[in-house]
Amino acid sequence: MAETRTEALHQNAEGLDIQAPDAILSSLADAQIEAAKVVRNAIPSIAAAAEIIAAKLKNGGKLAYAAAGSSGLMALADALELPGTFGIQRDRIAILIAGGDDAFKTLAGGPEDDTEEAAQAIADAGIGKGDCLIAISASGTTPYAVRAIEEAARRGAATIGIANNKDSALLRLAETAILLETPPEVIAGSTRMGAGTAQKIALNMLSTLTAVHLGHVHDGYMVNLMADNIKLRDRAARIVAAISGRTRDDAARLLDRSGGVVKTAILLAAGADNADAAEKLLEGTGQKLRPALSAIEGNKGTKA
């Protein structure tokens, strides 16, 4: 197997083990920063991927992530937070990680070679036409991720590949390829470090832009959050207060009237007759708050 960039030795790694602790940590920190910088080069492909994902979710499709090892953990971190942060229904998100539930305890290496498990995971998740799969692999050659993208494409799903090595199989197979060409790791092949950092950043950017397209972000506020604990209920009230200009107590009352739905509460504050009217407005604007607020203002002007 030819050596890939993610397996190469870092130029500053020689003698690492006999350096002072502060020097070792400085090298590790600098390498992470360098890895993070390469994500900027992938902005056009991340933007294209976000449009695809948003379109699939808007039309009722699912979003699936498939990966192994450290890349699987990056996928897991992104996917699990989408419902709470952006209100995307949990049953619309599938997380396929090599080794299944056992991976959360051992993260064994063997399952990443199990291509049959990957194909079966795609089938069990019901991924097909109208859905989208993101497959992630630092090397771009992980058998589990490669087979997952092949099977998803065979079933008619849109496919996005994220890898840290150019011209890799995963990127060649993906309809939309996101290359994160990170430098060699300070610990050669330890892609949980620089490559993983770049993957995490790219996934954060990808899912956040998707949420913007879906109308779940307004002026930097997560207006479609799922307020299912004390902290998030307080955040929801602060968001309603900030956007509507109402007091915190007024915002809490509006949230009660809206059933805890932030966008609906904001529209009630703006003058919507009731929660049903606010929700109909949002349906008409594709769940986007700004045009719904403009519609209310326009109606006020017409009545005046």
Side-chain angles (χ1 to χ4, degrees):
M1 183 181 293
E3 183 178 71
T4 58
R5 190 176 175 91
T6 50
E7 295 292 330
L9 189 66
H10 192 277
Q11 61 182 1
N12 297 330
E14 186 175 351
L16 182 76
D17 53 297
I18 56 174
Q19 293 177 12
D22 285 1
I24 295 171
L25 292 176
S26 292
S27 292
L28 293 175
D30 289 345
Q32 295 278 293
I33 292 166
E34 288 305 308
K37 287 179 181 177
V38 307
V39 180
R40 283 193 171 275
N41 299 328
I43 283 176
S45 52
I46 293 171
E51 284 196 39
I52 293 166
I53 297 169
K56 298 301 182 184
L57 289 173
K58 188 173 182 178
N59 291 324
K62 296 177 189 173
L63 170 62
Y65 298 70
S70 296
S71 295
L73 296 181
M74 297 303 105
L76 181 71
D78 193 66
L80 286 181
E81 291 196 316
L82 294 184
T85 305
F86 297 124
I88 297 172
Q89 299 97 317
R90 295 186 187 278
D91 62 2
R92 304 275 295 285
I93 301 165
I95 306 167
L96 315 179
I97 186 167
D101 290 346
D102 288 343
F104 305 136
K105 302 172 187 174
T106 63
L107 207 64
E112 75 174 48
D113 295 331
D114 194 337
T115 56
E116 290 308 309
E117 181 194 334
Q120 190 60 52
I122 292 290
D124 290 346
I127 303 304
K129 189 174 176 60
D131 300 323
C132 184
L133 173 79
I134 306 171
I136 310 150
S137 162
S139 67
T141 59
T142 304
Y144 183 93
V146 170
R147 181 60 185 277
I149 213 166
E150 289 175 329
E151 185 64 15
R154 189 184 72 78
R155 291 170 172 267
T159 58
I160 296 163
I162 300 177
N164 299 79
N165 285 308
K166 64 182 179 181
D167 299 326
S168 55
L170 190 71
L171 298 183
R172 289 195 300 270
L173 288 166
E175 289 178 60
T176 304
I178 299 174
L179 170 62
L180 305 172
E181 199 170 10
T182 46
E185 305 287 354
V186 175
I187 309 299
S190 183
T191 53
R192 71 189 185 92
M193 302 174 74
T197 294
Q199 289 172 2
K200 172 65 173 167
I201 294 170
L203 285 167
N204 283 166
M205 291 165 61
L206 179 56
S207 56
T208 299
L209 183 55
T210 296
V212 171
H213 287 319
L214 291 171
H216 299 337
V217 177
H218 179 94
D219 282 344
Y221 291 109
M222 51 180 87
V223 291
N224 209 49
L225 66 84
M226 185 184 297
D228 58 359
N229 63 26
I230 293 170
K231 176 188 76 176
L232 292 179
R233 284 192 289 273
D234 178 67
R235 180 178 296 164
R238 285 187 284 110
I239 290 170
V240 172
I243 295 175
S244 69
R246 299 292 189 93
T247 66
R248 169 69 174 71
D249 288 343
D250 281 346
R253 285 190 285 271
L254 289 163
L255 280 165
D256 286 340
R257 286 178 58 195
S258 74
V261 180
V262 172
K263 284 190 273 192
T264 301
I266 293 167
L267 292 177
L268 288 171
D273 293 336
N274 51 50
D276 286 343
E279 286 161 15
K280 284 179 183 175
L281 262 177
L282 287 168
E283 286 175 16
T285 62
Q287 295 302 313
K288 295 188 175 181
L289 182 58
R290 196 176 301 277
L293 286 169
S294 296
I296 290 176
E297 288 302 313
N299 287 338
K300 286 179 181 176
T302 302
K303 289 177 182 177

